[in-house]
Every structure is written in structure tokens, then in C-alpha cells.
Amino acid sequence: MEEIKVKKTGIIKLQSIKDGFDGVLSIAECGRQIPFDVKRTYYIYNLINHRDVIRGKHAHKSLKQVIFCINGSFVLSLDDGTNKQEIVMDDPTVGVYLGPELWHTMTNFKNNCIMLVLASDWYNESDYIRDYEEFLQYIKR
Ligand code: TYD
């Protein structure tokens, strides 16, 4: 995976135990690979490979998350307000930390993509910034 230039993010590599024909076991532990206590897990699936299909398009004020692609692939676009970067997510053993105040978008879903997200808090719509201009203003404050 390429080097990350964007701030408020980072690559998280999981330990995997390969068991030949019996598959692979990948492990994420809070306080070890995951830099927060997980209070919520959600997963996104049944995604269609179409150029109009897009998820994310928001930032969070304080939520911390780690996103994985546990099947198929997608492109994760990150924007800290200054630097932008696209990361191809196609390895179930590699997660990306999404810190607060980081604009993120997911596109190019392929091969029955399944995203798994570990989050530091319960769902709270007031923690979302869904407008890009508002995001730029928020991080300047
Ligand atoms: P959203 O976070 O915008 O999805 P994505 O970033 O993947 O595009 O959430 C989509 C909808 O689901 C929105 O109406 C909020 C709701 N939602 C919950 O109710 N609880 C949750 O934990 C999440 C992640 C979303």
C-alpha cells in the first residue's frame, strides 16, 4: 500500500493466521491495532459497481473509526482540507484509521465489496458534517 500523505489517518495492519484450505483468520484488538475502544460496528454490503454509487461524503467532529474492506474492493478518498489521497482498499488485513475532521468518500465498489467499520461511539447525526464547505470552515475554526 502506498504511503499516506493525508493527516488524521493511518494504515492499520492486522495479524492474520493462515490455515491453508481452511481459510484465514484476521484479528483486530482494541488498545492494540485499534486505537480506541469500539462502541459500534457496522458493515455495508450489496453495493453495485456503478460510477454513480457513492458512500461517505462527510466528516465527523469527534468520531474515530477504522474501515476495512473484508471482501472485494473499493476506493477510499481522503481529504484533510489540504491534502487529498485515494487508497485502493482490497486487502482484508489492512484497515484505514479515519480520525475526526477527515472528509472521506467511498466509490468504485467491485466484486461484492463488503466494508466493515469499527467506531468509537454510537451513531449520532449531530457529529456529522455533511457539507464540504461547512467542513472547510469547521477545520479552520
Ligand atoms: P451514513 O453514515 O451517511 O453512510 P455512509 O457514510 O456509508 O454513506 O449513513 C447512512 C444512513 O444510515 C443515515 O441515514 C444514517 C444511518 N445510520 C444509522 O442510523 N446508524 C449508523 O450507525 C450509521 C453508520 C448510519
Side-chain angles (χ1 to χ4, degrees):
M1 186 165 284
E2 61 183 306
E3 197 193 325
I4 296 228
K5 297 184 286 269
V6 174
K7 293 184 191 122
K8 307 163 190 169
T9 184
I11 297 292
I12 289 176
K13 178 74 182 163
L14 299 187
Q15 182 204 354
S16 290
I17 298 171
K18 296 193 177 94
D19 213 355
F21 292 122
D22 296 326
V24 185
L25 173 79
S26 295
I27 309 135
E29 294 169 304
C30 300
R32 290 187 165 166
Q33 301 84 5
I34 307 302
F36 51 81
D37 283 339
V38 175
K39 218 163 156 182
R40 176 169 52 116
T41 301
Y42 59 93
Y43 42 95
I44 300 170
Y45 53 100
N46 280 357
L47 290 148
I48 297 165
N49 178 16
H50 188 279
R51 62 187 158 80
D52 294 341
V53 178
I54 182 163
R55 300 219 54 127
K57 274 178 82 179
H58 62 249
H60 284 281
K61 293 174 186 165
S62 55
L63 189 72
K64 298 169 187 164
Q65 302 188 99
V66 178
I67 186 165
F68 293 95
C69 180
I70 58 167
N71 196 64
S73 68
F74 69 95
V75 174
L76 176 64
S77 302
L78 301 176
D79 178 349
D80 62 17
T82 306
N83 302 296
K84 293 182 173 54
Q85 187 161 4
E86 289 194 344
I87 299 172
V88 177
M89 302 286 294
D90 59 1
D91 181 344
T93 70
V94 175
V96 172
Y97 172 71
L98 304 173
E101 304 182 17
L102 178 66
W103 190 264
H104 54 279
T105 304
M106 292 82 94
T107 54
N108 289 63
F109 305 101
K110 290 190 182 148
N111 300 324
N112 198 15
C113 169
I114 303 175
M115 286 181 266
L116 174 72
V117 184
L118 309 180
S120 64
D121 210 344
W122 295 327
Y123 170 73
N124 174 10
E125 184 59 35
S126 67
D127 189 68
Y128 281 71
I129 306 167
R130 294 193 182 270
D131 178 81
Y132 188 70
E133 289 307 314
E134 195 186 321
F135 163 68
L136 293 178
Q137 289 305 315
Y138 187 84
I139 59 174
K140 266 198 239 158
R141 81 202 182 285

